[in-house]
Amino acid sequence: MRSIPLAVTAAFSLLLAVPAAAHDAEEGTGQLGKVAFANSCDAKVQKELQRAVAMLHSFWYSAGEKAFRHVLEDDPNCTVAQWGIASLLMNNPLAGQGASPKAAETASAAIEQGRRSGAKTERERDYLEAVAAYYADFGSRSERARQLSRSQAYEALAAKYPQDDEAQIFNALYLAGTQSQADQTYAAYLKAAAILEKQFAKYPDHPGVAHYLIHSYDAPPIANQGMAAARKYSAIAPDAPHALHMPSHIFTRVGAWQDSVALNRRSADVAKKDGGSSMGDAYHAADYMVYALLQLGRDQEARRVLDEFKSPEGAGLPQSFAGPYAAVAMPARIAFERGDWDAATQLPVLGTAFPHTEAITTFARALGAARKGDIAAAEKDALRLEAQQKALTESKNNYWATEVEIQRIATAAWIAKAKGQPDEALRLMRAAADLEDRNEKHIVTPGRLIPARELLGEMLLDLKQPAAALKEFEQSQVREPNRLRGYAGAATAAAAAGDADKARLHYAKLIELTRDADTPLPDIARAKTYLAAK
Amino acid sequence: MNRRRRLCSIAGTLWLFAAASGAAPSDEGDEQALLADADYAAGLSALKANDPASALRRFQAALKRFPEAADLHNELGYTSRKLGRLDQAFGHYKRALAIDPRHRGAHEYIGEAYLMTGDVASAEKHLAALRSICTLPCEEMRDLQAAIDAHRRGTPPR
């Protein structure tokens, strides 16, 4: 047994009727980070219980639930295990998906069992009631209402037990889970981060603290602040698939592609080995990996990843949302990032259960056709896109309805351009870019297929307005930094506008970015030629 | 106006997104939960069956749980209009637009309600709002335009 953090145990010896026992979670097989969740459960379950809490902190749902249930086999009255099961079943609290009705039933049963078995301490009862606040009146409340109840309950818990650092950490997590996509001041995220930063200084090896800090900084203007936690988390819990993937959310925001590739390769491997419900995580990691590889000019490697996760006609795709999204997005990214409009028009429809993932293929085909000048084909797919957008609107899936609306407007813009209507084309493309700036990227994706503002830059370039194009490319780089296509566009625009300094700057960045490229891309050749000539 | 078609379409997609909504951001939940609400669904069915009195009762029951749902206020506006309670209809449409100023349906329907009172200028204002909201031509804009044109021709609203 490794040492128990003194501050934690000292604090809880005052609070608990039964002396607390705490263990490092990395005991046993696999390293999951240091967790010391004070509890009154039987001494013989302590090792497994701390591991289970560590799994909860790393959103390792299947393994975590199994571990908590194993604890209950040895100590049926361990209230913390029932709380842990109910907590895991809430799903990723940052994704907004929430518990399924079936999971809510299972969780409610666990909570009831926990109440009946009678917690030995008031604190443990309070934890159980805090998670119960989420499930109360489950069927007739919205997920948003549940999130708010959960956050309020954990805020009260943290206030009641100010010395309980686990309560502070969970309070921060569920507070971050209330962040509205419409709030671009990121108020809830930053409030959570302030709590977590103090804990990070105290517990640099705690999996939850580093993990939740990454989530709390997962927005473009604040992502840099999450780099320390991002660099640390995978080393804290290298055996948890989510810990190997999650830092890449920050790496993607700041354009640290090498880091993203390395971690997502490991994350995908661990998730594939885990199998079952973890396959969605494997696809998700693969999509982030493909996106990063394409920025580095490692197209051959990206295609190998695509082949590894190929799913002809959608067969065998994971049921969870992230899997189908990744399966549809990966081939479309490979086409879009290289401007391979022929390939975009040939993308197969996978027929997933999600209209917004299907819309990715429709958008790719429509935009590809429009950019080739095949107006009839573009208009045909634009109609499909309109139907998909309408389905999302009518089902009140407002976030994705807006994302598909952006795709619709961008498609209409390029159709207008193909028809020789430049003013209308620019009006629409600008509207799409502005709308996209107001709608945050969803965490399921490393990035849109292509930033709308980059598309605006490309359109301006085509329309012989290079100075205006440069402005749009540079504006796009603020939110979507270090993108190969963004540098190529900016450099081309700068050169055409006669701004040699900026052209050199952007081309030099492109060369630096692609120094390990495995594919002879025309953009790289152009950059080398330009830099050599000047 | 294609309201009946839209109602059918909404009812038809209820099942799909109960299961397949995917991960949605934190503030998506209320509108989707409304779709799953039994009273709201029953209200929509009652409207389809041309029974606005029953629809009103069910929507008012749903309103207790979803007082800030723009869609629900929009449906209450339409139902009140069907029952000839124009004052209440305007109240609900205005509430819907206060909650969501870009609510396309509420802009269309309040515009049509204004036409019922002969206030073409106010209907035109909501048509202008729809032109601004719908970057691409949208069904709500086309329908309100058609209703205004019909009003000008002296054709009674449908």
Side-chain angles (χ1 to χ4, degrees):
Chain A
M1 187 183 300
R2 301 195 185 177
S3 63
I4 300 164
L6 287 176
V8 176
T9 47
F12 287 131
S13 65
L14 301 172
L15 294 167
L16 304 176
V18 176
H23 303 255
D24 288 357
E26 66 262 39
E27 286 194 349
T29 56
Q31 191 181 330
L32 300 171
K34 289 187 177 179
V35 174
F37 193 97
N39 66 90
S40 64
C41 299
D42 196 288
K44 67 183 175 221
V45 302
Q46 288 305 319
K47 195 163 83 177
E48 179 107 38
L49 183 60
Q50 298 301 338
R51 282 183 58 75
V53 175
M55 287 170 177
L56 168 62
H57 277 309
S58 282
F59 296 174
W60 199 354
Y61 306 109
S62 53
E65 187 177 347
K66 204 184 288 180
F68 279 124
R69 291 200 184 281
H70 196 243
V71 165
L72 286 169
E73 284 172 19
D74 287 335
D75 180 0
N77 294 323
C78 178
T79 305
V80 173
Q82 303 287 15
W83 161 82
I85 290 167
S87 299
L88 281 163
L89 289 167
M90 292 190 292
N91 219 322
N92 182 339
L94 285 310
Q97 193 169 3
S100 68
K102 189 166 175 278
E105 262 181 50
T106 309
S108 298
I111 290 164
E112 271 315 303
Q113 186 56 40
R115 284 170 178 155
R116 274 201 300 275
S117 62
K120 295 188 187 79
T121 72
E122 185 179 341
R123 171 179 163 273
E124 288 173 5
R125 279 193 296 278
D126 289 341
Y127 265 86
L128 192 66
E129 293 311 319
V131 76
Y134 172 84
Y135 290 105
D137 204 12
F138 186 87
S140 60
R141 292 199 307 154
S142 68
E143 177 59 16
R144 179 67 176 164
R146 293 180 208 127
Q147 289 165 352
L148 291 172
S149 297
R150 175 175 62 195
S151 180
Q152 285 159 6
Y154 274 89
E155 188 180 12
L157 184 81
K160 185 171 176 183
Y161 302 102
Q163 302 303 315
D164 180 350
D165 288 322
E166 286 292 320
Q168 312 310 312
I169 294 163
F170 279 111
N171 174 35
L173 166 64
Y174 297 128
L175 174 60
T178 66
Q179 175 63 44
S180 162
Q181 295 286 303
D183 171 23
Q184 292 191 322
T185 70
Y186 314 106
Y189 273 178
L190 291 175
K191 202 172 161 192
I195 297 168
L196 291 164
E197 289 287 8
K198 286 180 197 157
Q199 296 293 329
F200 198 34
K202 237 168 141 178
Y203 305 115
D205 296 321
H206 190 290
V209 175
H211 176 194
Y212 308 148
L213 268 172
I214 294 169
H215 278 290
S216 300
Y217 290 129
D218 192 3
I222 55 177
N224 264 317
Q225 297 175 62
M227 280 300 277
R231 295 235 183 267
K232 186 94 193 186
Y233 183 35
S234 61
I236 293 172
D239 291 298
H242 193 68
L244 293 177
H245 164 71
M246 196 56 219
S248 69
H249 280 234
I250 295 293
F251 296 150
T252 300
R253 298 282 195 188
V254 302
W257 309 119
Q258 308 265 14
D259 294 298
S260 179
V261 171
L263 270 191
N264 279 303
R265 180 67 269 172
R266 288 170 62 199
S267 175
D269 288 344
V270 171
K272 276 172 82 175
K273 197 173 156 195
D274 206 30
S277 62
S278 294
M279 279 310 288
D281 293 337
Y283 273 82
H284 182 59
D287 188 25
Y288 271 70
M289 188 166 24
V290 163
Y291 187 88
L293 286 166
L294 290 169
Q295 306 316 317
L296 297 167
R298 284 156 60 177
D299 292 23
Q300 290 183 41
E301 200 176 337
R303 287 181 191 281
R304 281 198 294 274
V305 175
L306 181 64
D307 287 343
E308 183 186 339
F309 286 88
K310 205 149 206 164
S311 175
E313 296 169 359
L317 281 178
Q319 293 301 304
S320 69
F321 162 60
Y325 185 94
V328 169
M330 284 187 285
R333 293 189 197 289
I334 291 175
F336 266 37
E337 293 286 6
R338 296 295 167 260
D340 187 350
W341 309 122
D342 275 330
T345 59
Q346 312 281 318
L347 286 169
V349 175
L350 290 190
T352 67
F354 305 95
H356 44 304
T357 60
E358 290 303 288
I360 291 171
T361 307
T362 315
F363 172 54
R365 291 165 59 110
L367 191 73
R371 295 201 64 166
K372 282 171 61 186
D374 185 347
I375 294 170
E379 286 183 330
K380 194 174 159 197
D381 274 316
L383 282 175
R384 287 191 65 224
L385 201 55
E386 182 178 1
Q388 286 159 340
Q389 199 271 342
K390 195 174 168 194
L392 288 163
T393 302
E394 286 173 350
S395 63
K396 305 302 167 203
N397 199 333
N398 297 336
Y399 174 80
W400 289 107
T402 303
E403 286 293 295
V404 178
E405 179 73 355
I406 294 162
Q407 295 170 341
R408 274 190 70 208
I409 298 168
T411 300
W414 285 91
I415 290 173
K417 182 176 175 296
K419 285 179 172 173
Q421 301 162 355
D423 291 345
E424 177 66 357
L426 281 175
R427 180 187 77 82
L428 291 170
M429 200 57 246
R430 198 173 292 284
D434 291 346
L435 187 56
E436 187 171 279
D437 282 349
R438 294 195 298 269
N439 213 38
E440 286 296 339
K441 171 191 89 65
H442 195 282
I443 61 171
V444 76
T445 181
R448 278 90 175 201
L449 282 192
I450 191 163
R453 199 160 293 283
E454 244 178 53
L455 279 177
L456 174 58
E458 290 174 17
M459 183 178 275
L460 285 161
L461 252 184
D462 280 6
L463 294 170
K464 313 290 181 210
Q465 299 181 41
L470 175 61
K471 198 175 147 205
E472 300 301 338
F473 281 121
E474 289 188 334
Q475 191 178 330
S476 182
Q477 287 171 357
V478 174
R479 289 181 73 84
E480 312 277 353
N482 218 21
R483 281 178 43 77
L484 195 162
R485 200 172 171 83
Y487 286 140
T492 307
D499 190 339
D501 286 346
K502 278 205 167 165
R504 269 197 299 276
L505 177 76
H506 289 295
Y507 273 136
K509 284 181 178 170
L510 190 155
I511 293 294
E512 170 64 16
L513 180 65
T514 56
R515 66 182 183 278
D516 295 323
D518 64 10
T519 307
L521 300 173
D523 283 331
I524 300 175
R526 253 193 304 277
K528 284 180 177 169
T529 304
Y530 187 89
L531 290 172
K534 305 280 169 170
Chain B
M1 167 170 74
N2 296 316
R3 189 182 165 81
R4 180 172 291 271
R5 182 161 52 80
R6 274 181 226 162
L7 275 174
C8 293
S9 176
I10 290 168
T13 52
L14 282 177
W15 65 272
L16 177 64
F17 286 93
S21 60
S26 297
D27 37 3
E28 287 287 296
D30 283 335
E31 296 294 340
Q32 292 201 340
L34 178 65
L35 276 186
D37 185 80
D39 281 314
Y40 183 69
L44 291 177
S45 298
L47 274 184
K48 266 175 71 183
N50 203 21
D51 181 3
S54 296
L56 185 68
R57 277 197 303 278
R58 302 306 292 264
F59 286 145
Q60 282 174 337
L63 192 64
K64 288 174 189 160
R65 286 183 295 282
F66 299 94
E68 295 299 303
D71 282 334
L72 182 53
H73 282 286
N74 187 39
E75 296 300 345
L76 276 162
Y78 178 75
T79 308
S80 302
R81 207 175 93 187
K82 291 276 280 184
L83 291 166
R85 302 172 187 174
L86 270 185
D87 284 351
Q88 287 174 24
F90 277 115
H92 283 297
Y93 287 136
K94 285 176 182 172
R95 184 74 199 120
L97 289 171
I99 295 164
D100 179 5
R102 296 174 64 84
H103 196 289
R104 296 178 183 188
H107 278 293
E108 178 194 337
Y109 300 137
I110 195 172
E112 289 166 359
Y114 277 122
L115 291 179
M116 291 171 78
T117 67
D119 185 353
V120 182
S122 293
E124 291 274 15
K125 277 183 194 163
H126 287 280
L127 180 62
L130 280 170
R131 280 203 190 96
S132 162
I133 293 163
C134 303
T135 307
L136 300 172
C138 61
E139 193 174 9
E140 292 84 358
M141 189 177 88
R142 283 192 291 260
D143 288 349
L144 181 54
Q145 179 71 68
I148 291 170
D149 292 345
H151 182 85
R152 289 205 167 111
R153 287 195 306 270
T155 313
R158 282 173 287 169

